[in-house]
Amino acid sequence: MSFNLYKLFFPCATENYQTSTIVLAGIPMDFTVSFKPGSRFAPAKIREVSIELEEYSIYQDKSLYDKTFCDMGDLELPFGNIERSIETIYQFACKLFEEKKVPIFLGGEHLISYPLIKAAANSNDGEFYVLHFDAHADMRDEYLGEKFSHATVMRRVGEVIGFKNIYQFGIRSGSKEEIEFAKKNSNFYFIDKWDEINNVIKDLKGKRVYLSIDIDVFDPAFAPGTGTPEPGGILSSDFFDILLKLKDLDIIGADIVEVAPYYDISDRTALLAAKIVRELILMMG
Amino acid sequence: MSFNLYKLFFPCATENYQTSTIVLAGIPMDFTVSFKPGSRFAPAKIREVSIELEEYSIYQDKSLYDKTFCDMGDLELPFGNIERSIETIYQFACKLFEEKKVPIFLGGEHLISYPLIKAAANSNDGEFYVLHFDAHADMRDEYLGEKFSHATVMRRVGEVIGFKNIYQFGIRSGSKEEIEFAKKNSNFYFIDKWDEINNVIKDLKGKRVYLSIDIDVFDPAFAPGTGTPEPGGILSSDFFDILLKLKDLDIIGADIVEVAPYYDISDRTALLAAKIVRELILMMG
Amino acid sequence: MSFNLYKLFFPCATENYQTSTIVLAGIPMDFTVSFKPGSRFAPAKIREVSIELEEYSIYQDKSLYDKTFCDMGDLELPFGNIERSIETIYQFACKLFEEKKVPIFLGGEHLISYPLIKAAANSNDGEFYVLHFDAHADMRDEYLGEKFSHATVMRRVGEVIGFKNIYQFGIRSGSKEEIEFAKKNSNFYFIDKWDEINNVIKDLKGKRVYLSIDIDVFDPAFAPGTGTPEPGGILSSDFFDILLKLKDLDIIGADIVEVAPYYDISDRTALLAAKIVRELILMMG
Amino acid sequence: MSFNLYKLFFPCATENYQTSTIVLAGIPMDFTVSFKPGSRFAPAKIREVSIELEEYSIYQDKSLYDKTFCDMGDLELPFGNIERSIETIYQFACKLFEEKKVPIFLGGEHLISYPLIKAAANSNDGEFYVLHFDAHADMRDEYLGEKFSHATVMRRVGEVIGFKNIYQFGIRSGSKEEIEFAKKNSNFYFIDKWDEINNVIKDLKGKRVYLSIDIDVFDPAFAPGTGTPEPGGILSSDFFDILLKLKDLDIIGADIVEVAPYYDISDRTALLAAKIVRELILMMG
Amino acid sequence: MSFNLYKLFFPCATENYQTSTIVLAGIPMDFTVSFKPGSRFAPAKIREVSIELEEYSIYQDKSLYDKTFCDMGDLELPFGNIERSIETIYQFACKLFEEKKVPIFLGGEHLISYPLIKAAANSNDGEFYVLHFDAHADMRDEYLGEKFSHATVMRRVGEVIGFKNIYQFGIRSGSKEEIEFAKKNSNFYFIDKWDEINNVIKDLKGKRVYLSIDIDVFDPAFAPGTGTPEPGGILSSDFFDILLKLKDLDIIGADIVEVAPYYDISDRTALLAAKIVRELILMMG
Amino acid sequence: MSFNLYKLFFPCATENYQTSTIVLAGIPMDFTVSFKPGSRFAPAKIREVSIELEEYSIYQDKSLYDKTFCDMGDLELPFGNIERSIETIYQFACKLFEEKKVPIFLGGEHLISYPLIKAAANSNDGEFYVLHFDAHADMRDEYLGEKFSHATVMRRVGEVIGFKNIYQFGIRSGSKEEIEFAKKNSNFYFIDKWDEINNVIKDLKGKRVYLSIDIDVFDPAFAPGTGTPEPGGILSSDFFDILLKLKDLDIIGADIVEVAPYYDISDRTALLAAKIVRELILMMG
Ligand SMILES: [Mn+2]
Ligand SMILES: [Mn+2]
Ligand SMILES: [Mn+2]
Ligand SMILES: [Mn+2]
Ligand SMILES: [Mn+2]
Ligand SMILES: [Mn+2]
Ligand SMILES: [Mn+2]
Ligand SMILES: [Mn+2]
Ligand SMILES: [Mn+2]
Ligand SMILES: [Mn+2]
Ligand SMILES: [Mn+2]
Ligand SMILES: [Mn+2]
């Protein structure tokens, strides 16, 4: 007789941190979301639906069974305390990068990318870039009076790593000020500029890249389960074409954020996130 | 301390009719809908979700803050009385056009376009055209024995303004008779003819155009909240490409109809409508 | 022609603060909710569904048309900042009580009751009691390391007004520690002790009472739209029997909290809250 | 090989009108519903879920297999035309009563009871009573300017059969005027007076009774799928106790109205209606 | 830093089988369900929502922290193969009973009770009874031509342990034949006979009892997430009153079956099941 | 007066088998579905929503009114018994093909294609091909220990008709083994190879083709109501372009499978299936 607690991302994940280079961890923080909260439940839901996917990817002709990766579960956070949560996430990420892990973080809200990327930047000697897929620029200086928010995360990141090291794709929403700032300072690509990804990949080849995917980069038809859906987004099939091109990059870490399962009865948003994670694992290491 | 009743379409709308050229008004009529009723709730829902959108549009690099527009609320209608409702809508629209407003009407069912367009035509000396985006031709002579119905609206409109002044895009459903009629009499473009919009825009340049958008022109994946969804429709990103081309036209009024919020738990249909309204406001005046 | 923006709680509410003794105000804070967030959307939803109810109550043979009350809209809060939010709510409530208003607050999460009740206690010379209906005792000393939480709110309230001045009904969930504390210190009634309400009403007659209703006092069948539903609760018809008995009390203020509209597609939770508010208005003043 | 089109109410219904005394018919009209429309879909949904129920009732120790009843399908109505619809329904019902059928009508909205009861009264020599279960009195003289509406139906019925011949149970909502009218003219029982049903049954014994059940007599927890849900209603188990007592009456016809399937994803409202219909069939004839 | 995979029923469950007398196990079989399938997902969902409940029960003034119990996860079954699944479940249950465990099984469909109870009977010298809570008698001899089905399970159980050893409460649905059989052979209590539970408890005192709870014993208002909901069921508060009386019995095992999470967006059915399990654990051993 | 039981696929379907060449039949089997079951309800739902579609197709300029086709209803199957169900389906399909019918089968799960295609192959002298649209290759040799499963169906089909006679489009998921098998043995087209359909149509011109459409070939945005949704699928508008090209083929039968209505509240999956069926009928015969 055998038993199954369905507790891991894909049944073939292990709990063995030591032997795994690729590690998954849930970061269930959603304290600054201004519109529809609930991304705290995303890591559990993404794991739950991952059993529906194959371990093998036709796209890459590779199987998770040939990879060793571990799922650490969800990081416990001081609930509602933004400052201490950011610090806890930062310390955790620093440890991972110091121990030469290649982590994939399951948000949670987008603000988690700030401590995660800061840790990645710290642990990193050479050039370091962030590739950011999102409907929103997330480049506000502050939001509702707060410096640390899902809507300011890339502004904070840019202050740490330099705005010229940020590449933003899929953007179709923002305030006038933040878009002007982004256009002037970061490498900003409006939603109709996906073709430019080819040039960017060429430029970033051989450099260390952190990938931050806000699920609302997709059109709400494909990812209704998110807090600030924005019509006019990318199609899922087009996204996988782009994602697969990233295998030429040296991705040292990634996050996928803003999945809010309660707004999607069909669970297709979480399933989409799980499939992205599978492809990321297979192209890493 | 400040308070917010979230009552207006975008917080930056005013209630000042006198100073506004662009005016929004809800027309919550859904008495002739044959399949799934409920578009009477659309204006309230579209307003509700509008707070999720930015006032600034990256697409046009313009902000609602630089526009003066007012939201008049919903027109009160004699419930269930089609004839009197049409008359009430007509009188209201006449007043708006006489006072040189550029109105955007939030349906309600598509039948409201008949009194709205009739009023627009009356107030208008020069050439006048209707640009109609819909899954359905709405060109029946009668429907279930009734002359006035969401399924006959463009037939009634054509009788007033001339069928050659109607341009129909996105059409993929209709009865044999109405389609034959439309092909012969109006400027009818089957769903696969979106490219023709460029020529039409060229032809209509400098002429006065009323825009009537039935939300079911979108595929049900993008707009599930509507009474008669029809598979095979346009994608939201493709639609925004087309919509933005219309800025070369002299749009004297517009309606967006057939949003039925109860069939869309995710509210993405209403959000799509709200974003279309934002872009319309920004390209008007 | 007349227009309706459906912006107020019941169409017969006014926006005239000066002439109204009874005032409604939304307090859309949900920053400490540990399980399912979303009560920030409750005031808007309760207003929206209130149009479905009659202004007249058969229960009391009274009509809202014979009352003057105003709906102030929602208080604007510093998003995500618990400390400043509590202070803002407190200042707002102090003003209301000083100006001799009888307020009904629409939450938001239960933590809002702390500043609200503190303000009520301050403005109040004679004896002052809190009548608390809830599935949960909310008597923890701290929750997830935080002193201020929806789960600690009655503990904080007791520290201000004295635990013996708190009466708790409907309680069926809590930690061992908080229940022992409540049993020892407050007037604690387990879910099966609703009959005791008659004695409590006798005791409280002529005294000033603040009423705090957590919607999860109802069974989830009646109020599925809440963050921490707890099976085994009161039926809606039994609740109205109890509520109506409270008309013998001198209710100086009330709140109804923890409605989370997104978890209830049928909107019956918000409708239940709206009906409670109607009965409260009619029994006040 | 055998095939099933699941088209009838209970597989054991026949399509043979001639041999059946008990006949079911759908009346899919919902043109005057002021809040949430959609009861036009109720007959189809009630049939669909009826297959989930047993043909045998433990409550009455009787089986539908021992009854001959037919399901006529849905009456076709001139869509949106209230006047002609009422006339069509009236003619249909007259024919049924003349041919000595005992019909059970599946609404549709409550307005259908007006032509149905008028037809029943016409065909009927002796004393004739209406037993009305509803959350609402439906005793307005007019509603939104209209004489014929789901909110005026019992006023119109009373004008035909005399108000003293109407017994109303479960009522918990109405305008001040209509409730005063009902209290003065009809036999009006507020929601807390269900016990009086015993006396009413004694009074009506041996007399001809038409039963009109508005599904919103139930609490929304039991019947969320309806257009104007009203909290504080009867429990389903209590209702079946009352319904079974009616077997002592001479029920000459019945309707069950205002089921609106789209607002109840669980289909439990339609299932409740189907079970009521089963019990009615078994207590008839 | 600590991590949480939320994998167990209540965080205080262990995975240590050896030291635990009380063991939980999921039996995710739903192969014979005739109407709406999906109970295979119940164990995972019940675990997921259990984190929302307190470990302490006010009802019993006891805490799960004072109990040692383990959650074994879900038994892996040969998918779709009924015969082999029954055998696998039987072997598993025999092992548990032989090793003197007191198991609580989370279905899955009701058919799982057959191998579970057969194993319990085998391992048991003295008198042995089954207490069965259900809307349905489940006493058919066969269903759709099959001997082993959720609709025949108590017939099969009776053949093993004797029908006089089965007590059935809450029953309100069945075929004529099975109800006649049940009335004649088992201890059958119609839905209106809950008061008889007191006498039954007296009779069963000191005897070994297996408890089988079909979640459809509740009214669909309280438990919409089940395959064959039946209106007219017990209220959740009344059920807990009854459940707590069972603490006088020597419950050697229990199952809770037929939770089908996909039909209950609110998750209140699974939450109700989780709360029942908590109370069962606390009254056991 | 006329009545409507809405029982047929499109009101213009007949029940006359003798006079119809094209026949529809529901095959409501879903016993081997491993993830989310429920396709047994698809035929009834597809019929229900078909009334929303026009009988006329603008795509083909043809009307169902000009076709004679019958809807046989649903085949009754021995519930839960896979072996006997396959045999029953096989016998039924053999009869249809022998009597020179051109059937369209409404699944049910994909396993039904095995007996259906076997019957088609038997009745067929010349060359015979299967055109398979699916997200999954369905080429496993066994699944969860079973030879007959929705995940093995094309392997079983290939063993009967030869793998080189199978063309598979839209495939984006599978196990490593089955994909390697499919690539080597069948005509396998990965999701990005839709353009190859033109060549395939050229090759198959004049040959007898059976078309098997698994609804999960669509992206979950377009078809959320299915048991194993797979992100990255085809758009509905692109699919209709492809489907219409098939009119050059001699389609002798077709099935559309794996619609699971309960996971799609909007019913757009069933509507999409109904529209595909309409186009198939119009291109047949
Ligand atoms: Mn974003
Ligand atoms: Mn973002
Ligand atoms: Mn349309
Ligand atoms: Mn239209
Ligand atoms: Mn509470
Ligand atoms: Mn509380
Ligand atoms: Mn009513
Ligand atoms: Mn009524
Ligand atoms: Mn049952
Ligand atoms: Mn059972
Ligand atoms: Mn598939
Ligand atoms: Mn398949």
Side-chain angles (χ1 to χ4, degrees), chain C residues 110 134 138 150 214:
Chain C
H110 211 160
D134 202 326
D138 292 348
H150 69 115
D214 184 328

Side-chain angles (χ1 to χ4, degrees), chain E residues 110 132 134 136 138 150 153 214 216 258:
Chain E
H110 212 161
H132 171 217
D134 202 325
H136 309 88
D138 293 350
H150 69 114
V153 60
D214 185 327
D216 65 24
E258 299 290 355

Side-chain angles (χ1 to χ4, degrees), chain C residues 35 140 219 228-232, chain E residues 52 54 221-222 236 268 271 275:
Chain C
F35 198 62
R140 277 169 157 89
D219 192 275
T228 51
E230 178 73 29
Chain E
E52 190 186 344
E54 299 284 345
F222 299 85
S236 68
R268 66 183 185 272
L271 191 65
K275 188 164 175 173

Side-chain angles (χ1 to χ4, degrees), chain B residues 35 140 219 221 228-231, chain F residues 52 54 221-222 236 268 271 275:
Chain B
F35 199 63
R140 277 168 157 93
D219 192 275
T228 49
E230 179 73 29
Chain F
E52 191 185 342
E54 300 284 343
F222 299 84
S236 67
R268 66 184 183 273
L271 191 65
K275 187 163 176 174

Side-chain angles (χ1 to χ4, degrees), chain F:
Chain F
M1 276 169 286
S2 59
F3 293 89
N4 195 343
L5 273 165
Y6 299 120
K7 61 192 169 183
L8 300 175
F9 183 79
F10 285 102
C12 57
T14 72
E15 292 182 84
N16 192 330
Y17 177 81
Q18 298 306 331
T19 61
S20 305
T21 300
I22 299 169
V23 294
L24 278 80
I27 313 288
M29 171 182 177
D30 65 355
F31 316 150
T32 78
V33 169
S34 50
F35 197 63
K36 295 193 282 186
S39 62
R40 70 185 73 170
F41 300 110
K45 179 59 79 180
I46 294 172
R47 280 185 197 99
E48 179 190 329
V49 302
S50 73
I51 63 159
E52 191 185 342
L53 293 173
E54 300 284 343
E55 285 81 4
Y56 171 75
S57 162
I58 309 184
Y59 299 83
Q60 302 193 49
D61 189 18
K62 287 185 190 172
S63 172
L64 290 179
Y65 284 119
D66 302 328
K67 292 273 176 179
T68 305
F69 65 102
C70 86
D71 182 354
M72 302 181 70
D74 285 2
L75 182 65
E76 296 205 334
L77 296 169
F79 191 83
N81 190 317
I82 296 170
E83 201 177 336
R84 279 204 296 137
S85 292
I86 291 178
E87 182 60 23
T88 303
I89 296 167
Y90 177 66
Q91 293 300 341
F92 170 52
C94 282
K95 186 168 166 300
L96 291 179
F97 287 114
E98 277 159 23
E99 298 179 355
K100 302 299 172 198
K101 303 299 185 188
V102 180
I104 301 174
F105 302 102
L106 308 175
E109 58 162 278
H110 212 160
L111 179 54
I112 67 166
S113 299
Y114 167 65
L116 295 173
I117 295 173
K118 202 168 95 177
N122 278 1
S123 69
N124 222 308
D125 297 326
E127 282 186 275
F128 174 69
Y129 296 88
V130 167
L131 188 49
H132 172 217
F133 294 162
D134 202 325
H136 310 88
D138 293 348
M139 277 283 180
R140 279 169 156 90
D141 191 30
E142 54 178 45
Y143 188 57
L144 300 168
E146 303 292 327
K147 281 280 182 180
F148 292 98
S149 157
H150 67 116
T152 67
V153 60
M154 285 300 148
R155 185 70 166 261
R156 293 294 88 77
V157 163
E159 291 166 356
V160 171
I161 67 162
F163 289 100
K164 274 297 162 221
N165 287 21
I166 300 176
Y167 291 80
Q168 305 187 286
F169 280 89
I171 314 303
R172 56 193 184 276
S173 180
S175 71
K176 193 176 171 50
E177 293 70 26
E178 75 177 306
I179 298 303
E180 281 170 359
F181 183 91
K183 284 182 173 171
K184 212 170 88 185
N185 295 282
S186 83
N187 302 286
F188 174 92
Y189 297 91
F190 183 49
I191 181 71
D192 62 356
K193 301 291 184 208
W194 281 107
D195 286 349
E196 302 289 332
I197 195 85
N198 296 309
N199 294 327
V200 170
I201 289 169
K202 252 182 261 163
D203 292 351
L204 294 183
K205 208 166 218 166
K207 291 164 188 169
R208 297 163 81 83
V209 175
Y210 182 96
L211 177 63
S212 185
I213 303 171
D214 185 328
I215 201 76
D216 64 25
V217 72
F218 289 95
D219 192 275
F222 299 84
T226 192
T228 51
E230 179 73 28
I234 194 169
L235 311 177
S236 67
S237 48
D238 289 347
F239 184 84
F240 283 108
D241 288 348
I242 289 162
L243 185 69
L244 291 165
K245 293 178 181 174
L246 306 186
K247 66 171 171 284
D248 294 336
L249 302 181
D250 178 16
I251 298 177
I252 63 158
D255 60 52
I256 179 150
V257 297
E258 299 289 354
V259 173
Y262 274 102
Y263 308 110
D264 175 12
I265 291 169
S266 76
D267 286 346
R268 66 184 183 273
T269 315
L271 191 65
L272 185 55
K275 187 163 176 174
I276 293 170
V277 172
R278 184 188 71 187
E279 297 303 317
L280 283 175
I281 294 174
L282 292 176
M283 69 174 61
M284 278 172 165

